[in-house]
């Protein structure tokens, strides 16, 4: 008995979407009207045509257009004959027939739309076939899922939705924005980090920007990044954290204590008093309502990050991504890279692609070389560990420098160096100036605080709790309490 179901499926794949008449009409319009040839050919590729002879005809047209020669029956047939493709294009009689089909080129846009629509449908079918083949051969469901998403995304990304416009149509929008900035000089184009001096330098967090936050260990990279997440999320933006070093519970502990302004040491030793418990409960309720997602996979590739970002953005919206940190990431397995420097170069480039594809600001943490400590100086761009590509791909590079970490008692006593005051150095800013900001690090709550430049005071009313040096705990010295509940949403639990 014949397999009618299989035959029907085969028939569907054989009858790919196409319209011979629309392709003929479009080519006829191009032969008739030289005015639309350059404009229309820019939106077409050889594979957009289904009929084989039409591919040769369009290629011949495009070759003539590329050397600024007019395209008509005579020039086209002459060019095809010289290239030896005239017969493959259907011959002189068929090309002459194309000019007879269309009395005018008035409806060329309709024919172009039909040809492009059918071309996209065929590409989707081809992409689906590739996805099916990959799934049949695959032993890694996550990798296959990432491949499927990338295949469809690449097709959708290839659809040109932008338009070429005259500068005169852009100027009114620019003038309106400048007028608003004149009326409100504090207005930022990007999302506020919550740190005034830093925002004044980088003008907030901008879509598609890759920002690097770098420092030596135990200086406060993770703390500052999580503080920025807190500030962004509390302003009702959606944030996604990729934490390759710390667990989601550890980050939950940090974030709860930071928002509650409660000592981490008290919390982890079970020494919270009634007032502190009230603060912790308020922080829990506040954070639980916010869109903060976390993925604490210890091994993750850039392609997997892009896939998870797409899902979060599609389901909840996504405004900000943090990656902690670059040197712990794994490059995509398909690439043969000789050394760690090449791996970091590949990872860095893919993080910039992530920022552009997802269209959100991405803050990636990075380690600095030991030269900063051994030479007792401020960090510089050349200190970015393992690859200069990080500096090249980044739109903004920010360093954390803690002079008090190596300062002597005399330096602190004389005021030459201020205790717990961090220097936030913006060493690269593709869209603005570089500069220096100062933040106060409240170690017991793993929290950076704004400093008023005029008074030298922190933004908090009560600073007494930060004066006792014995209560300070260095970042990365906290132990994990597995019983501590986290209000942060897990990516794996919530999405997959």
């Amino acid at each position: 008995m014949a397999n009618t179901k299989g035959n029907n499926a085969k028939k569907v794949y054989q009858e790919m979407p196409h319209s011979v008449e629309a392709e003929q009409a479009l080519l006829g319009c191009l032969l008739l009207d030289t005015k639309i040839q350059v404009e229309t050919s820019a939106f077409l590729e050889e594979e957009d045509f289904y009929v084989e002879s039409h591919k040769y005809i369009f290629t011949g047209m495009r070759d003539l257009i590329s050397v600024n020669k007019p395209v008509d029956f005579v020039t086209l047939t002459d060019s095809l004959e010289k290239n030896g493709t005239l017969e493959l294009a259907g011959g002189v009689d068929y090309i002459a027939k194309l000019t007879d089909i269309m009395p005018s080129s008035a409806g060329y846009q309709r024919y172009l739309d039909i040809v492009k629509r059918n071309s996209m449908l065929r590409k989707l079918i081809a992409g689906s076939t590739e996805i099916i083949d990959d799934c049949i051969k695959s032993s890694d469901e996550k990798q296959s899922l990432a491949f499927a998403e990338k295949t469809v995304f690449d097709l959708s990304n290839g659809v040109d939705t932008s338009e070429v416009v005259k500068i005169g149509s852009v100027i009114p929008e620019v003038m309106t924005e400048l007028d608003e900035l004149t009326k409100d000089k504090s207005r930022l184009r990007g999302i506020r980090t919550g740190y005034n001096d830093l925002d004044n330098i980088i003008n907030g967090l901008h879509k598609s920007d890759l920002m690097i936050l770098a420092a030596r260990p135990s200086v406060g990279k993770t703390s500052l990044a999580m503080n920025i997440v807190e500030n962004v999320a509390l302003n009702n933006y959606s944030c996604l954290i990729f934490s390759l070093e710390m667990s989601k519970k550890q980050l939950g502990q940090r974030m709860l204590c930071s928002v509650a302004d409660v000592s981490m040491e008290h919390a982890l030793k079970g020494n919270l008093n009634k007032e502190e418990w009230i603060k912790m409960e308020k922080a829990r309720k506040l954070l639980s309502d916010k869109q903060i997602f976390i993925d604490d996979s210890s091994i993750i590739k850039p392609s997997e990050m892009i896939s998870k970002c797409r899902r979060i953005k599609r389901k909840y919206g996504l405004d900000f991504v943090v990656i902690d940190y670059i040197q712990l990431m794994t490059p995509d397995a398909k690439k043969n890279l000789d050394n760690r420097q090449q791996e970091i170069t590949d990872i860095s480039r893919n993080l910039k692609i992530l920022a552009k594809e997802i269209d959100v600001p991405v803050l990636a943490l990075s380690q600095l070389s030991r030269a900063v400590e051994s030479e007792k100086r401020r960090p510089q761009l050349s200190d970015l560990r393992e690859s200069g590509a990080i500096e090249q791909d980044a739109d903004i590079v920010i360093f954390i420098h803690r002079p008090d970490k190596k300062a002597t008692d005399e330096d602190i006593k004389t005021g030459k160096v201020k205790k717990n005051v961090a220097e936030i150095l913006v060493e690269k800013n593709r869209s603005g100036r570089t500069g220096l900001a100062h933040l106060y690090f409240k170690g017991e709550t793993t929290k950076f605080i704004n400093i008023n430049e005029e008074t030298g005071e922190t933004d908090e009313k009560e600073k007494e709790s930060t004066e006792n040096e014995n209560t300070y705990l260095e970042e990365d010295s906290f132990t994990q309490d597995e019983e501590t509940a986290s209000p942060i949403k897990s990516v794996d639990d919530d999405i997959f």
Side-chain angles (χ1 to χ4, degrees), residues 171 179 216 256 269 280 345 371 456 468 480:
I171 295 299
D179 180 58
R216 289 293 296 157
L256 272 171
K269 288 184 177 180
M280 291 287 279
T345 298
N468 185 356
Q480 178 184 1

Side-chain angles (χ1 to χ4, degrees), residues 271-454:
N271 293 331
L272 294 178
N273 58 36
K274 183 177 180 181
E275 182 182 352
E276 289 172 328
W277 269 116
I278 293 173
K279 288 182 177 181
M280 291 287 279
E281 178 60 20
K282 288 181 179 179
R284 184 193 67 80
K285 289 181 178 179
L286 186 62
L287 286 172
S288 296
D289 292 335
K290 303 305 175 184
Q291 297 283 40
I292 303 176
F293 302 93
I294 183 168
D295 185 308
D296 60 356
S297 305
S298 57
I299 300 175
I300 190 167
K301 303 169 187 175
S303 59
E304 293 172 344
M305 285 186 175
I306 293 174
S307 176
K308 292 183 178 184
C309 286
R310 288 196 195 111
R311 296 182 190 192
I312 293 288
K313 187 170 185 177
R314 183 170 61 246
K315 190 169 183 179
Y316 301 99
L318 184 59
D319 303 297
F320 184 42
V321 174
V322 171
I323 300 166
D324 185 11
Y325 56 91
I326 289 176
Q327 281 76 18
L328 292 179
M329 289 181 63
T330 304
D332 288 318
K334 293 182 180 180
K335 299 180 179 179
N336 296 319
L337 302 172
D338 296 332
N339 53 53
R340 186 55 180 165
Q341 183 172 342
Q342 289 183 0
E343 290 180 350
I344 295 296
T345 298
D346 181 70
I347 290 168
S348 173
R349 180 60 188 150
N350 277 284
L351 292 182
K352 180 56 185 175
I353 291 172
L354 185 156
K356 290 185 68 177
E357 283 194 7
I358 308 301
D359 195 29
V360 298
V362 173
L363 179 65
L365 278 58
S366 178
Q367 292 278 23
L368 289 176
S369 67
R370 288 188 175 90
V372 176
E373 292 180 347
S374 61
E375 298 173 15
K376 296 181 180 181
R377 57 170 172 78
R378 287 176 172 174
Q380 54 194 30
L381 292 174
S382 59
D383 294 320
L384 286 169
R385 189 173 170 183
E386 290 182 306
S387 177
I390 298 176
E391 174 190 347
Q392 178 182 331
D393 294 327
D395 297 285
I396 296 173
V397 177
I398 302 171
F399 296 129
I400 305 175
H401 182 50
R402 291 280 303 278
D404 62 316
K405 300 277 282 184
K406 298 295 181 180
T408 63
D409 292 339
E410 184 66 21
D411 290 336
I412 300 294
K413 186 177 180 180
T414 59
K416 182 179 179 180
V417 177
K418 294 183 179 180
K419 184 68 176 174
N420 299 310
V421 172
E423 296 179 347
I424 311 300
L425 302 120
V426 180
E427 287 295 299
K428 179 182 178 181
N429 186 1
R430 203 186 299 275
S431 301
R433 66 184 177 93
T434 58
L436 171 66
H438 291 90
L439 295 175
Y440 190 88
F441 182 58
K442 188 176 179 181
E444 63 176 358
T445 59
T446 65
K447 190 173 186 177
F448 283 90
I449 306 166
N450 279 313
I451 297 176
N452 188 308
E453 288 188 349
E454 294 182 2

Side-chain angles (χ1 to χ4, degrees), residues 163-227:
E163 295 182 359
V164 177
V165 298
K166 290 181 66 176
I167 192 169
S169 63
V170 179
I171 295 299
E173 182 181 350
V174 175
M175 292 297 290
T176 300
E177 183 173 329
L178 292 175
D179 180 58
E180 291 174 354
L181 285 168
T182 302
K183 294 176 181 177
D184 180 10
K185 290 182 174 59
S186 64
R187 180 177 177 270
L188 292 173
R189 285 166 39 215
I191 301 171
R192 293 178 185 270
T193 66
Y195 296 109
N196 301 331
D197 291 345
L198 179 60
D199 282 332
N200 287 336
I201 297 172
I202 65 173
N203 204 23
L205 308 172
H206 299 265
K207 291 181 179 181
S208 78
D209 271 3
L210 172 61
M211 297 169 290
I212 302 298
L213 177 62
R216 289 293 296 157
S218 300
V219 171
K221 293 188 302 296
T222 301
S223 294
L224 182 56
M226 292 307 104
N227 291 162

